[in-house]
Structures are given as C-alpha cells and as structure tokens.
Amino acid sequence: MSGIGFAFPVGETNDYFKPKFSTTLGLNIDVGKQGFFLYPQLDFHAYSFFQQVPSVDGGGFLVNKSRATTYLLNMAVGYRKSMNKIWAFYGYAGGGAGFILNPHIKVEKDASTATLHNRSITMPILEMGIGGEYNLGDVCLFLETSFMHGLNTIQGRPFNSVPICFGIKPDIRKLFKKKKR
C-alpha cells in the first residue's frame, strides 16, 4: 500500500509539532482465509517544529518554524471484514520503533555564528488504527487513520499523533502465482 496524508499531533505534542505532509508505505499480508493479516508499515511523517526547551549549547535561543521528520517501522496484526466484495473495513494494532529528527541550534559566540543541526531521538511506538477499502479489481482505494503513542519524550513531553492517509493498495498476489497454460 502507498498512502499520502497528514499526521496531526495531539495533546502536549501539539506544543512542539504542527502537521505537515506525510507518506506511508506498507503491505497487507493475508494470514489464512479468516480475514486476519500482518501489516508491516514504514511511516514518514513531517511536522513543523517549535522548540520548547533550549539546547544546552543553543545560547538560550529556540528553533521556530523548522521541520522535524519521523522514520518509523511498525508491525501490526489486523482483521479485515469484506462486504459485497467491494467494500472492506479493517482494524489493526501493533508496535514498532524508529527515530525522529528534530533541529537544534548551536551558537558559537566567539565566531558570531549559529548552526542548525538535527538530533535523532529513538522512539518506540505503539499504534492502533482503522481503515476502509473500496475494491476496483486489481487495486483498492483506501482511507486509514490510527493513533500513535511514543514511549519516549521529545522536549520533555510525550509523543502522540493521529496520522490520516489515503491511497492505493495494488493486488500483488498475481505476481507470485504461476500462470496456467
């Protein structure tokens, strides 16, 4: 699956992140015929960053209106319920980890310069979500939302986000099936 959308920070996360464009890549791997599936997913969420706690070497200055980016790999287990072979609705829950790059400033008073550099924060994630699909034959259109909760903090505050994305899910099973002659 390939989706585009926005990731909306919620709660205290909204103090330091604001939504920007995001993308998601993943696979829905059917497990049996009962509707269960595995859902490995790679999330690239971008946020506007508003620093709340000055860096030690930042000279008391804060970074404003910069860009922070997440690179998160999740593995979930889900259940899909099909209706009329046209519509399907699903839910999933899982976890993963990745890192979040957020900018910090370093002020060198002797040289009268300020340097912006990214800091990487390792972030374990718990995620649960829901979605819907519309089947067009060899491809499905989908709309999906989830709640992500980070197990570490950023700027002394928790990380919580609600990504909303839409996109396509091509049926790649045909690539792995042998053609009958």
Side-chain angles (χ1 to χ4, degrees):
M1 57 81 74
S2 176
I4 58 172
F6 289 88
F8 297 93
V10 294
E12 290 182 71
T13 308
N14 202 36
D15 292 345
Y16 57 87
F17 280 167
K18 302 296 181 206
K20 287 187 105 171
F21 187 76
S22 298
T23 61
T24 300
L25 299 171
L27 291 171
N28 285 158
I29 304 168
D30 291 334
V31 178
K33 300 200 183 270
Q34 302 297 321
F36 291 99
F37 62 93
L38 291 176
Y39 193 13
Q41 179 178 344
L42 187 58
D43 296 316
F44 305 102
H45 301 302
Y47 299 94
S48 291
F49 178 67
F50 296 82
Q51 190 175 8
Q52 302 294 306
V53 179
S55 303
V56 174
D57 52 359
F61 294 100
L62 298 173
V63 175
N64 241 352
K65 296 182 184 177
S66 191
R67 178 186 169 107
T69 309
T70 68
Y71 301 91
L72 303 169
L73 178 61
N74 300 319
M75 175 59 85
V77 175
Y79 178 75
R80 177 183 295 105
K81 178 69 176 169
S82 295
M83 300 178 173
N84 305 338
K85 295 187 179 184
I86 295 175
W87 292 97
F89 299 94
Y90 59 93
Y92 61 92
F99 56 93
I100 299 175
L101 296 177
N102 60 342
H104 289 269
I105 193 167
K106 181 178 180 182
V107 176
E108 298 176 27
K109 293 180 182 179
D110 295 343
S112 298
T113 61
T115 305
L116 196 62
H117 62 94
N118 283 327
R119 283 201 183 142
S120 177
I121 299 170
T122 304
M123 185 66 66
I125 294 284
L126 297 175
E127 181 178 21
M128 58 190 318
I130 58 171
E133 302 172 347
Y134 181 72
N135 189 344
L136 296 172
D138 289 341
V139 71
C140 289
L141 300 177
F142 77 93
L143 177 65
E144 179 178 294
T145 187
S146 65
F147 176 76
M148 296 178 121
H149 173 70
L151 301 177
N152 288 339
T153 60
I154 300 174
Q155 296 287 295
R157 293 168 172 83
F159 173 76
N160 294 306
S161 186
V162 176
I164 298 174
C165 68
F166 65 93
I168 61 170
K169 292 182 180 181
D171 187 356
I172 61 172
R173 289 179 292 190
K174 292 180 180 180
L175 296 174
F176 299 107
K177 290 182 180 179
K178 292 182 179 179
K179 292 184 180 183
K180 295 181 181 178
R181 293 182 183 196

